[in-house]
Amino acid sequence: MATATLAQHAFLKQLGIKAQNSGAYDGAWRKTKGAVLDSLNPATGEVIASVTQATRADYDACVAAAHAAFLRFREVPAPKRGEIVRRMGERIREHKEPLGRLITLEMGKILQEGLGEVQEAIDMADFAVGQSRMLYGLSMHSERPAHAMREQWHPLGVVGVITAFNFPMAVWAWNSMLAYICGNACVWKPAGTVPLCSIALTNVVRPVLEAEGFGALAALVVGPSADVGEPMLHDARVPLISFTGSTAVGRKVAAAVATRFGRTILELGGNNALVVLDDADLDLALPAIVFGSVGTAGQRCTTTRRLIVHEKIAAEVERRLVKAYAGVRIGDPLAAGTLCGPLVTPKAVDEMQAALAQVKKQGGKVLFGGEVVKGKGALAGGNFVVPAIVRAENEWPIVQEETFAPILYVIRAKDVDDAIAKQNGVPQGLSSSIFTLNMRHAEKFLSAVGSDCGIANVNIGTSGAEIGGAFGGEKETGGGRESGSDAWKAYMRRQTNTINWSREMPLAQGIQFG
């Protein structure tokens, strides 16, 4: 079955994907001997290709190789490191089409989103190149005569990057491109549902690194948590772990890494709300709601999960939404015109159905969708569902949780204060947005008494962040920041320097000793 799929999708050959692939790269592909992992197409259930997973020994070898590469790479001037990243970005740009198709084939998001994700990786490389000349410290005034003070930043070492299935390439780029210009190495552990995406992207960028003698900077370990994930959390050779995943797993990651005084960047659950006030431009709001809730089949961390709408216009918004959802085409994510592909696994389908059962039990009313779609022909084995719209209350237990599926809870609010209180009234704090033409309401939403999320938008949806700003959230979202702004500082260690150029030895605070 895998061979037939490979023949059907010739672009896989351009990415170095074979019927059987190694799950470990340490500057060269290792002869792995772990259990065989089949990569499945979520739209058909067919095997795309297989991966022989990394063992604990493979993990140790990859980290050792990455650390050795780091010891040399940290001495390369930052702008030179940026030049290497520039060439990596060019390689990704040259392979944008096949990489985007692979994301769609293996993860299930529609092709436009797959291509958009690869573009995000390209943009991240471009951003990092510029940042490589701007790793700024500070110059400070000393209280002591003839003394100078400054602050500078140095590389950390090996960065462990543990990524989720929903953005199988972009999140690695968010982390790795910054880690590289900062002088670090990376060891990547991808989600087990999308191993081919990580293997393909490694194949695309490794020629650049190998030509410089730094192939191990992009170490890769595809393997089970017991052999790869857990050892990474407890490995003192990996001073920083960047983890993207659920809040439940993130708690364990944070605790394990903190025990050894390591650092974490946590990108965890989101329960994002989009507020629509009674003065909103509904023609503007509607497409943002539909993309935010249906895009990637509801499997983005920034997916719009709660629609908080002013009670005066709630009925009209619901009517428009039901009409818009009825026009959403569900099916093969590689086909033109498809707007909603499959969920990633049959388990994800079951979890959506369980959530819908819970919300009905708690008093919710399904306004549209929620059914499991039984595909026909080539899509017969796919994990397809109809995106759901459900009228609900914010405080219900199931609404307080994040269900990684296309369920949109419609919640009514009395006014802007009630809407903000409901937006903030969940444990998660990633992305939020408000639609209003009232400047006071907009500014209040963005103020200290407004949204408590790491991302707050006005007249734009919750989903689709640009790489220029720092990405991340508060509360149970973990507090991590990746991508733009000054997120680069997380990949470096801060050092304060004091230089005495006098002939005296004055002590700080005027202390006299001796």
Side-chain angles (χ1 to χ4, degrees), residues 70-100:
F70 155 70
L71 294 178
R72 294 182 293 113
F73 192 55
R74 64 183 176 178
E75 297 187 54
V76 175
K80 297 294 185 184
R81 300 193 295 250
E83 169 59 19
I84 293 173
V85 167
R86 185 192 66 78
R87 299 206 307 270
M88 292 170 69
E90 285 301 313
R91 287 277 299 174
I92 298 172
R93 183 177 277 106
E94 291 166 6
H95 292 80
K96 178 179 175 178
E97 180 76 17
L99 286 171

PDB file of all heavy atoms in Angstrom, residues 70-100:
ATOM      1  N   PHE A  70      27.529  22.022  18.441  1.00  0.00           N
ATOM      2  CA  PHE A  70      27.325  23.299  19.137  1.00  0.00           C
ATOM      3  C   PHE A  70      28.648  23.883  19.627  1.00  0.00           C
ATOM      4  O   PHE A  70      28.875  25.097  19.505  1.00  0.00           O
ATOM      5  CB  PHE A  70      26.379  23.104  20.327  1.00  0.00           C
ATOM      6  CG  PHE A  70      26.556  24.129  21.411  1.00  0.00           C
ATOM      7  CD1 PHE A  70      26.171  25.446  21.215  1.00  0.00           C
ATOM      8  CD2 PHE A  70      27.138  23.777  22.622  1.00  0.00           C
ATOM      9  CE1 PHE A  70      26.353  26.399  22.216  1.00  0.00           C
ATOM     10  CE2 PHE A  70      27.326  24.714  23.624  1.00  0.00           C
ATOM     11  CZ  PHE A  70      26.935  26.035  23.416  1.00  0.00           C
ATOM     12  N   LEU A  71      29.515  23.058  20.185  1.00  0.00           N
ATOM     13  CA  LEU A  71      30.776  23.560  20.732  1.00  0.00           C
ATOM     14  C   LEU A  71      31.603  24.274  19.662  1.00  0.00           C
ATOM     15  O   LEU A  71      32.350  25.206  19.970  1.00  0.00           O
ATOM     16  CB  LEU A  71      31.577  22.408  21.342  1.00  0.00           C
ATOM     17  CG  LEU A  71      30.958  21.744  22.580  1.00  0.00           C
ATOM     18  CD1 LEU A  71      31.835  20.582  23.046  1.00  0.00           C
ATOM     19  CD2 LEU A  71      30.755  22.755  23.703  1.00  0.00           C
ATOM     20  N   ARG A  72      31.463  23.862  18.422  1.00  0.00           N
ATOM     21  CA  ARG A  72      32.163  24.528  17.321  1.00  0.00           C
ATOM     22  C   ARG A  72      31.358  25.692  16.762  1.00  0.00           C
ATOM     23  O   ARG A  72      31.887  26.748  16.452  1.00  0.00           O
ATOM     24  CB  ARG A  72      32.462  23.520  16.199  1.00  0.00           C
ATOM     25  CG  ARG A  72      33.447  22.435  16.597  1.00  0.00           C
ATOM     26  CD  ARG A  72      33.745  21.484  15.430  1.00  0.00           C
ATOM     27  NE  ARG A  72      32.596  20.689  15.029  1.00  0.00           N
ATOM     28  CZ  ARG A  72      31.959  20.798  13.864  1.00  0.00           C
ATOM     29  NH1 ARG A  72      32.360  21.698  12.962  1.00  0.00           N
ATOM     30  NH2 ARG A  72      30.933  20.018  13.582  1.00  0.00           N
ATOM     31  N   PHE A  73      30.035  25.492  16.678  1.00  0.00           N
ATOM     32  CA  PHE A  73      29.167  26.479  16.037  1.00  0.00           C
ATOM     33  C   PHE A  73      29.096  27.775  16.838  1.00  0.00           C
ATOM     34  O   PHE A  73      28.941  28.873  16.271  1.00  0.00           O
ATOM     35  CB  PHE A  73      27.770  25.890  15.863  1.00  0.00           C
ATOM     36  CG  PHE A  73      26.859  26.667  14.967  1.00  0.00           C
ATOM     37  CD1 PHE A  73      27.227  26.994  13.662  1.00  0.00           C
ATOM     38  CD2 PHE A  73      25.601  27.069  15.402  1.00  0.00           C
ATOM     39  CE1 PHE A  73      26.381  27.695  12.820  1.00  0.00           C
ATOM     40  CE2 PHE A  73      24.743  27.773  14.573  1.00  0.00           C
ATOM     41  CZ  PHE A  73      25.128  28.093  13.284  1.00  0.00           C
ATOM     42  N   ARG A  74      29.188  27.705  18.162  1.00  0.00           N
ATOM     43  CA  ARG A  74      29.080  28.898  18.991  1.00  0.00           C
ATOM     44  C   ARG A  74      30.197  29.905  18.719  1.00  0.00           C
ATOM     45  O   ARG A  74      30.074  31.077  19.054  1.00  0.00           O
ATOM     46  CB  ARG A  74      29.075  28.515  20.469  1.00  0.00           C
ATOM     47  CG  ARG A  74      30.362  27.870  20.953  1.00  0.00           C
ATOM     48  CD  ARG A  74      30.266  27.453  22.403  1.00  0.00           C
ATOM     49  NE  ARG A  74      31.468  26.742  22.841  1.00  0.00           N
ATOM     50  CZ  ARG A  74      31.667  26.298  24.089  1.00  0.00           C
ATOM     51  NH1 ARG A  74      30.738  26.489  25.000  1.00  0.00           N
ATOM     52  NH2 ARG A  74      32.774  25.662  24.403  1.00  0.00           N
ATOM     53  N   GLU A  75      31.299  29.446  18.111  1.00  0.00           N
ATOM     54  CA  GLU A  75      32.410  30.338  17.798  1.00  0.00           C
ATOM     55  C   GLU A  75      32.251  31.015  16.437  1.00  0.00           C
ATOM     56  O   GLU A  75      33.016  31.912  16.095  1.00  0.00           O
ATOM     57  CB  GLU A  75      33.726  29.557  17.839  1.00  0.00           C
ATOM     58  CG  GLU A  75      34.056  28.993  19.218  1.00  0.00           C
ATOM     59  CD  GLU A  75      35.444  28.384  19.269  1.00  0.00           C
ATOM     60  OE1 GLU A  75      36.407  29.086  18.905  1.00  0.00           O
ATOM     61  OE2 GLU A  75      35.554  27.214  19.651  1.00  0.00           O
ATOM     62  N   VAL A  76      31.260  30.575  15.665  1.00  0.00           N
ATOM     63  CA  VAL A  76      30.990  31.216  14.374  1.00  0.00           C
ATOM     64  C   VAL A  76      30.286  32.539  14.637  1.00  0.00           C
ATOM     65  O   VAL A  76      29.313  32.597  15.399  1.00  0.00           O
ATOM     66  CB  VAL A  76      30.100  30.305  13.502  1.00  0.00           C
ATOM     67  CG1 VAL A  76      29.723  31.013  12.203  1.00  0.00           C
ATOM     68  CG2 VAL A  76      30.804  28.978  13.220  1.00  0.00           C
ATOM     69  N   PRO A  77      30.750  33.643  14.053  1.00  0.00           N
ATOM     70  CA  PRO A  77      30.091  34.934  14.282  1.00  0.00           C
ATOM     71  C   PRO A  77      28.607  34.880  13.916  1.00  0.00           C
ATOM     72  O   PRO A  77      28.221  34.218  12.942  1.00  0.00           O
ATOM     73  CB  PRO A  77      30.852  35.891  13.365  1.00  0.00           C
ATOM     74  CG  PRO A  77      32.200  35.250  13.184  1.00  0.00           C
ATOM     75  CD  PRO A  77      31.943  33.775  13.184  1.00  0.00           C
ATOM     76  N   ALA A  78      27.795  35.576  14.682  1.00  0.00           N
ATOM     77  CA  ALA A  78      26.344  35.521  14.489  1.00  0.00           C
ATOM     78  C   ALA A  78      25.912  35.877  13.057  1.00  0.00           C
ATOM     79  O   ALA A  78      25.043  35.199  12.495  1.00  0.00           O
ATOM     80  CB  ALA A  78      25.641  36.414  15.503  1.00  0.00           C
ATOM     81  N   PRO A  79      26.472  36.909  12.416  1.00  0.00           N
ATOM     82  CA  PRO A  79      26.061  37.173  11.033  1.00  0.00           C
ATOM     83  C   PRO A  79      26.405  36.025  10.081  1.00  0.00           C
ATOM     84  O   PRO A  79      25.676  35.796   9.109  1.00  0.00           O
ATOM     85  CB  PRO A  79      26.842  38.448  10.666  1.00  0.00           C
ATOM     86  CG  PRO A  79      27.058  39.125  11.982  1.00  0.00           C
ATOM     87  CD  PRO A  79      27.310  37.999  12.946  1.00  0.00           C
ATOM     88  N   LYS A  80      27.482  35.313  10.351  1.00  0.00           N
ATOM     89  CA  LYS A  80      27.813  34.148   9.535  1.00  0.00           C
ATOM     90  C   LYS A  80      26.805  33.025   9.776  1.00  0.00           C
ATOM     91  O   LYS A  80      26.430  32.295   8.855  1.00  0.00           O
ATOM     92  CB  LYS A  80      29.225  33.652   9.852  1.00  0.00           C
ATOM     93  CG  LYS A  80      30.325  34.663   9.535  1.00  0.00           C
ATOM     94  CD  LYS A  80      30.426  34.921   8.042  1.00  0.00           C
ATOM     95  CE  LYS A  80      31.607  35.852   7.724  1.00  0.00           C
ATOM     96  NZ  LYS A  80      31.660  36.198   6.277  1.00  0.00           N
ATOM     97  N   ARG A  81      26.368  32.895  11.024  1.00  0.00           N
ATOM     98  CA  ARG A  81      25.320  31.920  11.314  1.00  0.00           C
ATOM     99  C   ARG A  81      24.045  32.306  10.561  1.00  0.00           C
ATOM    100  O   ARG A  81      23.314  31.449  10.051  1.00  0.00           O
ATOM    101  CB  ARG A  81      25.066  31.850  12.821  1.00  0.00           C
ATOM    102  CG  ARG A  81      26.291  31.448  13.628  1.00  0.00           C
ATOM    103  CD  ARG A  81      25.972  31.073  15.062  1.00  0.00           C
ATOM    104  NE  ARG A  81      25.451  32.135  15.895  1.00  0.00           N
ATOM    105  CZ  ARG A  81      26.108  32.709  16.893  1.00  0.00           C
ATOM    106  NH1 ARG A  81      27.370  32.334  17.178  1.00  0.00           N
ATOM    107  NH2 ARG A  81      25.549  33.642  17.630  1.00  0.00           N
ATOM    108  N   GLY A  82      23.773  33.613  10.500  1.00  0.00           N
ATOM    109  CA  GLY A  82      22.621  34.088   9.757  1.00  0.00           C
ATOM    110  C   GLY A  82      22.708  33.752   8.280  1.00  0.00           C
ATOM    111  O   GLY A  82      21.693  33.453   7.641  1.00  0.00           O
ATOM    112  N   GLU A  83      23.903  33.788   7.723  1.00  0.00           N
ATOM    113  CA  GLU A  83      24.074  33.434   6.314  1.00  0.00           C
ATOM    114  C   GLU A  83      23.734  31.968   6.080  1.00  0.00           C
ATOM    115  O   GLU A  83      23.117  31.618   5.065  1.00  0.00           O
ATOM    116  CB  GLU A  83      25.516  33.716   5.886  1.00  0.00           C
ATOM    117  CG  GLU A  83      25.918  33.159   4.533  1.00  0.00           C
ATOM    118  CD  GLU A  83      25.071  33.655   3.368  1.00  0.00           C
ATOM    119  OE1 GLU A  83      24.392  34.698   3.510  1.00  0.00           O
ATOM    120  OE2 GLU A  83      25.096  33.001   2.316  1.00  0.00           O
ATOM    121  N   ILE A  84      24.091  31.110   7.010  1.00  0.00           N
ATOM    122  CA  ILE A  84      23.731  29.685   6.895  1.00  0.00           C
ATOM    123  C   ILE A  84      22.210  29.527   6.945  1.00  0.00           C
ATOM    124  O   ILE A  84      21.618  28.777   6.160  1.00  0.00           O
ATOM    125  CB  ILE A  84      24.417  28.872   8.003  1.00  0.00           C
ATOM    126  CG1 ILE A  84      25.931  28.865   7.780  1.00  0.00           C
ATOM    127  CG2 ILE A  84      23.875  27.449   8.063  1.00  0.00           C
ATOM    128  CD1 ILE A  84      26.728  28.237   8.911  1.00  0.00           C
ATOM    129  N   VAL A  85      21.574  30.245   7.855  1.00  0.00           N
ATOM    130  CA  VAL A  85      20.114  30.191   7.953  1.00  0.00           C
ATOM    131  C   VAL A  85      19.467  30.728   6.676  1.00  0.00           C
ATOM    132  O   VAL A  85      18.454  30.206   6.213  1.00  0.00           O
ATOM    133  CB  VAL A  85      19.628  30.973   9.193  1.00  0.00           C
ATOM    134  CG1 VAL A  85      18.126  31.212   9.139  1.00  0.00           C
ATOM    135  CG2 VAL A  85      19.994  30.219  10.467  1.00  0.00           C
ATOM    136  N   ARG A  86      20.062  31.762   6.095  1.00  0.00           N
ATOM    137  CA  ARG A  86      19.523  32.298   4.830  1.00  0.00           C
ATOM    138  C   ARG A  86      19.497  31.220   3.765  1.00  0.00           C
ATOM    139  O   ARG A  86      18.510  31.057   3.036  1.00  0.00           O
ATOM    140  CB  ARG A  86      20.358  33.488   4.350  1.00  0.00           C
ATOM    141  CG  ARG A  86      19.775  34.170   3.093  1.00  0.00           C
ATOM    142  CD  ARG A  86      20.741  35.147   2.471  1.00  0.00           C
ATOM    143  NE  ARG A  86      21.921  34.481   1.929  1.00  0.00           N
ATOM    144  CZ  ARG A  86      21.937  33.821   0.762  1.00  0.00           C
ATOM    145  NH1 ARG A  86      20.838  33.729   0.025  1.00  0.00           N
ATOM    146  NH2 ARG A  86      23.049  33.253   0.342  1.00  0.00           N
ATOM    147  N   ARG A  87      20.575  30.453   3.662  1.00  0.00           N
ATOM    148  CA  ARG A  87      20.639  29.393   2.653  1.00  0.00           C
ATOM    149  C   ARG A  87      19.670  28.263   2.972  1.00  0.00           C
ATOM    150  O   ARG A  87      19.099  27.654   2.055  1.00  0.00           O
ATOM    151  CB  ARG A  87      22.069  28.881   2.534  1.00  0.00           C
ATOM    152  CG  ARG A  87      23.066  29.956   2.091  1.00  0.00           C
ATOM    153  CD  ARG A  87      24.285  29.395   1.381  1.00  0.00           C
ATOM    154  NE  ARG A  87      24.964  28.375   2.124  1.00  0.00           N
ATOM    155  CZ  ARG A  87      25.947  28.578   3.003  1.00  0.00           C
ATOM    156  NH1 ARG A  87      26.339  29.833   3.255  1.00  0.00           N
ATOM    157  NH2 ARG A  87      26.542  27.587   3.617  1.00  0.00           N
ATOM    158  N   MET A  88      19.445  27.996   4.255  1.00  0.00           N
ATOM    159  CA  MET A  88      18.443  27.005   4.625  1.00  0.00           C
ATOM    160  C   MET A  88      17.055  27.469   4.189  1.00  0.00           C
ATOM    161  O   MET A  88      16.258  26.684   3.658  1.00  0.00           O
ATOM    162  CB  MET A  88      18.471  26.773   6.142  1.00  0.00           C
ATOM    163  CG  MET A  88      19.740  26.095   6.640  1.00  0.00           C
ATOM    164  SD  MET A  88      19.856  26.089   8.449  1.00  0.00           S
ATOM    165  CE  MET A  88      18.548  24.959   8.875  1.00  0.00           C
ATOM    166  N   GLY A  89      16.767  28.760   4.402  1.00  0.00           N
ATOM    167  CA  GLY A  89      15.488  29.306   3.975  1.00  0.00           C
ATOM    168  C   GLY A  89      15.299  29.234   2.474  1.00  0.00           C
ATOM    169  O   GLY A  89      14.187  28.962   1.992  1.00  0.00           O
ATOM    170  N   GLU A  90      16.376  29.455   1.725  1.00  0.00           N
ATOM    171  CA  GLU A  90      16.295  29.356   0.264  1.00  0.00           C
ATOM    172  C   GLU A  90      15.977  27.930  -0.170  1.00  0.00           C
ATOM    173  O   GLU A  90      15.211  27.708  -1.112  1.00  0.00           O
ATOM    174  CB  GLU A  90      17.610  29.819  -0.372  1.00  0.00           C
ATOM    175  CG  GLU A  90      17.802  31.335  -0.345  1.00  0.00           C
ATOM    176  CD  GLU A  90      16.696  32.060  -1.074  1.00  0.00           C
ATOM    177  OE1 GLU A  90      16.348  31.662  -2.200  1.00  0.00           O
ATOM    178  OE2 GLU A  90      16.145  33.024  -0.501  1.00  0.00           O
ATOM    179  N   ARG A  91      16.569  26.962   0.508  1.00  0.00           N
ATOM    180  CA  ARG A  91      16.276  25.552   0.195  1.00  0.00           C
ATOM    181  C   ARG A  91      14.797  25.248   0.457  1.00  0.00           C
ATOM    182  O   ARG A  91      14.153  24.554  -0.341  1.00  0.00           O
ATOM    183  CB  ARG A  91      17.143  24.636   1.048  1.00  0.00           C
ATOM    184  CG  ARG A  91      18.605  24.574   0.650  1.00  0.00           C
ATOM    185  CD  ARG A  91      18.836  23.590  -0.490  1.00  0.00           C
ATOM    186  NE  ARG A  91      18.446  22.230  -0.125  1.00  0.00           N
ATOM    187  CZ  ARG A  91      18.447  21.198  -0.972  1.00  0.00           C
ATOM    188  NH1 ARG A  91      18.798  21.385  -2.231  1.00  0.00           N
ATOM    189  NH2 ARG A  91      18.088  19.996  -0.584  1.00  0.00           N
ATOM    190  N   ILE A  92      14.269  25.751   1.555  1.00  0.00           N
ATOM    191  CA  ILE A  92      12.853  25.526   1.848  1.00  0.00           C
ATOM    192  C   ILE A  92      11.987  26.191   0.793  1.00  0.00           C
ATOM    193  O   ILE A  92      10.999  25.626   0.317  1.00  0.00           O
ATOM    194  CB  ILE A  92      12.510  26.038   3.260  1.00  0.00           C
ATOM    195  CG1 ILE A  92      13.318  25.281   4.322  1.00  0.00           C
ATOM    196  CG2 ILE A  92      11.018  25.877   3.537  1.00  0.00           C
ATOM    197  CD1 ILE A  92      13.179  25.844   5.726  1.00  0.00           C
ATOM    198  N   ARG A  93      12.372  27.402   0.383  1.00  0.00           N
ATOM    199  CA  ARG A  93      11.617  28.130  -0.645  1.00  0.00           C
ATOM    200  C   ARG A  93      11.601  27.337  -1.957  1.00  0.00           C
ATOM    201  O   ARG A  93      10.563  27.253  -2.628  1.00  0.00           O
ATOM    202  CB  ARG A  93      12.234  29.510  -0.854  1.00  0.00           C
ATOM    203  CG  ARG A  93      11.497  30.379  -1.853  1.00  0.00           C
ATOM    204  CD  ARG A  93      12.110  31.763  -1.958  1.00  0.00           C
ATOM    205  NE  ARG A  93      11.644  32.661  -0.899  1.00  0.00           N
ATOM    206  CZ  ARG A  93      12.374  33.041   0.139  1.00  0.00           C
ATOM    207  NH1 ARG A  93      13.624  32.626   0.272  1.00  0.00           N
ATOM    208  NH2 ARG A  93      11.866  33.862   1.045  1.00  0.00           N
ATOM    209  N   GLU A  94      12.722  26.744  -2.305  1.00  0.00           N
ATOM    210  CA  GLU A  94      12.803  25.957  -3.546  1.00  0.00           C
ATOM    211  C   GLU A  94      11.912  24.715  -3.486  1.00  0.00           C
ATOM    212  O   GLU A  94      11.493  24.205  -4.524  1.00  0.00           O
ATOM    213  CB  GLU A  94      14.252  25.535  -3.789  1.00  0.00           C
ATOM    214  CG  GLU A  94      15.185  26.685  -4.147  1.00  0.00           C
ATOM    215  CD  GLU A  94      16.650  26.293  -4.043  1.00  0.00           C
ATOM    216  OE1 GLU A  94      16.927  25.089  -3.805  1.00  0.00           O
ATOM    217  OE2 GLU A  94      17.509  27.180  -4.165  1.00  0.00           O
ATOM    218  N   HIS A  95      11.638  24.228  -2.286  1.00  0.00           N
ATOM    219  CA  HIS A  95      10.844  23.001  -2.128  1.00  0.00           C
ATOM    220  C   HIS A  95       9.475  23.285  -1.519  1.00  0.00           C
ATOM    221  O   HIS A  95       8.843  22.390  -0.959  1.00  0.00           O
ATOM    222  CB  HIS A  95      11.603  21.996  -1.244  1.00  0.00           C
ATOM    223  CG  HIS A  95      12.846  21.450  -1.878  1.00  0.00           C
ATOM    224  ND1 HIS A  95      14.032  22.151  -1.910  1.00  0.00           N
ATOM    225  CD2 HIS A  95      13.088  20.278  -2.512  1.00  0.00           C
ATOM    226  CE1 HIS A  95      14.950  21.429  -2.529  1.00  0.00           C
ATOM    227  NE2 HIS A  95      14.404  20.293  -2.904  1.00  0.00           N
ATOM    228  N   LYS A  96       8.999  24.518  -1.631  1.00  0.00           N
ATOM    229  CA  LYS A  96       7.733  24.891  -0.994  1.00  0.00           C
ATOM    230  C   LYS A  96       6.574  24.019  -1.449  1.00  0.00           C
ATOM    231  O   LYS A  96       5.782  23.531  -0.618  1.00  0.00           O
ATOM    232  CB  LYS A  96       7.428  26.367  -1.277  1.00  0.00           C
ATOM    233  CG  LYS A  96       6.097  26.826  -0.686  1.00  0.00           C
ATOM    234  CD  LYS A  96       5.836  28.303  -0.953  1.00  0.00           C
ATOM    235  CE  LYS A  96       4.452  28.713  -0.459  1.00  0.00           C
ATOM    236  NZ  LYS A  96       4.189  30.159  -0.661  1.00  0.00           N
ATOM    237  N   GLU A  97       6.441  23.806  -2.744  1.00  0.00           N
ATOM    238  CA  GLU A  97       5.298  23.058  -3.272  1.00  0.00           C
ATOM    239  C   GLU A  97       5.268  21.612  -2.743  1.00  0.00           C
ATOM    240  O   GLU A  97       4.247  21.185  -2.171  1.00  0.00           O
ATOM    241  CB  GLU A  97       5.320  23.072  -4.798  1.00  0.00           C
ATOM    242  CG  GLU A  97       4.182  22.320  -5.447  1.00  0.00           C
ATOM    243  CD  GLU A  97       2.850  23.054  -5.405  1.00  0.00           C
ATOM    244  OE1 GLU A  97       2.860  24.273  -5.164  1.00  0.00           O
ATOM    245  OE2 GLU A  97       1.813  22.404  -5.614  1.00  0.00           O
ATOM    246  N   PRO A  98       6.337  20.836  -2.895  1.00  0.00           N
ATOM    247  CA  PRO A  98       6.262  19.461  -2.370  1.00  0.00           C
ATOM    248  C   PRO A  98       6.143  19.400  -0.852  1.00  0.00           C
ATOM    249  O   PRO A  98       5.448  18.517  -0.329  1.00  0.00           O
ATOM    250  CB  PRO A  98       7.562  18.821  -2.861  1.00  0.00           C
ATOM    251  CG  PRO A  98       8.471  19.943  -3.211  1.00  0.00           C
ATOM    252  CD  PRO A  98       7.581  21.062  -3.653  1.00  0.00           C
ATOM    253  N   LEU A  99       6.787  20.316  -0.137  1.00  0.00           N
ATOM    254  CA  LEU A  99       6.661  20.310   1.323  1.00  0.00           C
ATOM    255  C   LEU A  99       5.220  20.606   1.740  1.00  0.00           C
ATOM    256  O   LEU A  99       4.673  19.957   2.640  1.00  0.00           O
ATOM    257  CB  LEU A  99       7.609  21.334   1.943  1.00  0.00           C
ATOM    258  CG  LEU A  99       9.099  20.976   1.953  1.00  0.00           C
ATOM    259  CD1 LEU A  99       9.929  22.171   2.402  1.00  0.00           C
ATOM    260  CD2 LEU A  99       9.381  19.772   2.846  1.00  0.00           C
ATOM    261  N   GLY A 100       4.595  21.584   1.091  1.00  0.00           N
ATOM    262  CA  GLY A 100       3.204  21.907   1.404  1.00  0.00           C
ATOM    263  C   GLY A 100       2.277  20.745   1.104  1.00  0.00           C
ATOM    264  O   GLY A 100       1.342  20.458   1.867  1.00  0.00           O
TER     265      GLY A 100
END
